[in-house]
Amino acid sequence: MTKIGVLRDIKARKGVAANEIARRAYLFVARNQTLPPQVRYQAQLQLNTFGRYTRPTTVKNRCTESGRGRGIMSEFGLCRFQFRLKALQGQIPGVQKASW
Amino acid sequence: MLAAIKRHTAQPCPPESALDPSGPPTAAAEPQWAAATVHGRSLYLPYQHPRTHSIPVAMIHFRSYFPHLLDQFTHFASHSASALAIPISRPVALPTQRSLWTVLKGPFAHKKKQENFERKVHKRAIKAWDADPQVVERWVKYLENHAMGGVGMRVIKWERAQVGIGKDRLDHVKGQIRIASATNADKVKKLGERIVREELGKEA
């Protein structure tokens, strides 16, 4: 049973990857101080036309096991509970219960 | 395992005459070779070849989550370097990196019940001096071919070039490029002479 958030995130990642070059080009024009203001304004308007699934800010790390959106550890791609379950089973290389 | 290694008696290298491959194979070659080979050599620490000039040639870093794997592989690396007569250092332990994660034990709430997890990255370094670059390359290739699971290796090599190599390379490149603007009369003359010489050499 997939979570809708996971599906949205996948769509966002695909969209961002497909449109990254165009977005960066428009952004370059819009932020460039040496270009005339009309051109910059047009570029900014074009940027505004992009949908939400093309913006990099829409991309959110999710747990690869459970799809949880919070408590994600980027190094493992897991949420804290899944990380704990796998670490206790020995499925994460090198990770062990700390004691000192 | 390392306690079994006798630290104060390192085995000497077998004499070179016993290992000489040139010349016709004699009847005594095989037993002589076998007698010269030190069986169980790996029980001892490798023979430390003395540095001739102390010029650093390579440095290998080993990393692993498990120190016993590191000990095994550095032992292997040291012995292989000794067999190739590369002067090396003892495996030096670099500071261990420790990452700590504190996570809630349950999937929901219960902030006061947490658990600590850690991951330690153990590191060793072996430095090599004085050997030829081809020998070092052989050693590194050998280690890569017999790489150990769970141990990562990073090799830093230093090679030396003769003084003035930058200028030589630049001249070579400039000679390859045709500069259409101005032709140097001397260069053309020299080129002509060279061509004449080559042609005469072919005819002769």
Side-chain angles (χ1 to χ4, degrees):
Chain A
M1 177 91 142
T2 350
K3 289 186 174 182
I4 186 67
V6 174
L7 295 174
R8 285 192 200 125
D9 187 57
I10 289 168
K11 194 171 178 186
R13 281 169 194 268
K14 284 185 177 170
V16 164
N19 292 282
E20 188 189 356
I21 294 169
R23 278 194 68 90
R24 277 187 187 259
Y26 279 123
L27 196 71
F28 172 74
V29 172
R31 299 280 189 270
N32 196 337
Q33 306 272 7
T34 59
L35 293 174
Q38 296 86 355
V39 172
R40 289 178 67 187
Y41 185 64
Q42 286 300 314
Q44 188 58 52
L45 289 178
Q46 285 295 316
L47 261 184
N48 296 344
T49 61
F50 281 86
R52 88 181 99 136
Y53 290 118
T54 59
R55 278 180 245 124
T57 46
T58 332
V59 167
K60 173 86 177 67
N61 274 348
R62 287 203 161 252
C63 178
T64 51
E65 283 289 324
S66 62
R68 194 163 191 266
R70 287 187 167 86
I72 312 298
M73 299 156 83
S74 307
E75 197 165 347
F76 308 103
L78 295 169
C79 70
R80 53 173 190 234
F81 184 61
Q82 287 297 324
F83 167 75
R84 178 171 173 265
L85 288 180
K86 285 190 177 294
L88 289 172
Q89 287 174 347
Q91 290 180 16
I92 307 179
V95 172
Q96 52 199 1
K97 273 178 70 72
S99 175
W100 69 95
Chain B
M1 186 209 110
L2 280 179
I5 295 174
K6 296 173 190 176
R7 293 192 178 276
H8 52 278
T9 51
Q11 281 291 313
C13 263
E16 263 196 54
S17 55
L19 308 171
D20 186 28
S22 63
T26 61
E30 176 59 38
Q32 197 183 24
W33 166 267
T37 311
V38 181
H39 293 285
R41 182 165 58 173
S42 66
L43 288 175
Y44 302 95
L45 282 178
Y47 171 69
Q48 295 277 115
H49 289 272
R51 297 182 230 164
T52 56
H53 300 86
S54 292
I55 297 169
V57 160
M59 188 159 68
I60 305 189
H61 283 245
F62 303 95
R63 290 193 186 193
S64 176
Y65 297 134
F66 310 105
H68 63 275
L69 294 181
L70 269 180
D71 291 337
Q72 284 183 28
F73 196 58
T74 50
H75 182 77
F76 170 68
S78 309
H79 270 283
S80 53
S82 174
L84 288 166
I86 304 172
I88 50 160
S89 69
R90 302 241 162 91
V92 166
L94 301 172
T96 308
Q97 282 176 335
R98 182 167 166 252
S99 311
L100 191 77
W101 296 279
T102 311
V103 294
L104 305 192
K105 272 190 171 177
F108 179 73
H110 306 290
K111 184 65 188 289
K112 293 180 191 174
K113 294 279 191 289
Q114 295 186 54
E115 197 169 10
N116 289 323
F117 290 99
E118 72 180 356
R119 183 177 62 191
K120 286 184 174 172
V121 180
H122 302 269
K123 302 192 222 175
R124 303 280 186 272
I126 295 179
K127 205 162 175 182
W129 290 275
D130 296 328
D132 285 338
Q134 299 97 318
V135 176
V136 173
E137 183 61 34
R138 277 290 178 107
W139 180 43
V140 166
K141 283 258 165 68
Y142 183 67
L143 291 180
E144 280 169 3
N145 280 340
H146 297 276
M148 198 169 177
V151 177
M153 200 166 76
R154 179 197 291 168
V155 177
I156 300 154
K157 274 194 282 193
W158 299 290
E159 290 190 21
R160 272 137 196 99
Q162 73 276 15
V163 175
I165 185 164
K167 190 174 178 303
D168 292 344
R169 289 252 174 102
L170 189 62
D171 289 343
H172 176 73
V173 165
K174 276 186 177 170
Q176 302 284 321
I177 298 169
R178 286 182 192 218
I179 301 164
S181 53
T183 52
N184 198 344
D186 285 341
K187 277 189 186 168
V188 171
K189 192 177 168 195
K190 277 182 187 164
L191 187 62
E193 281 168 26
R194 199 183 105 198
I195 290 166
V196 165
R197 256 184 283 124
E198 279 173 28
E199 291 301 318
L200 290 174
K202 278 184 197 166
E203 277 175 44

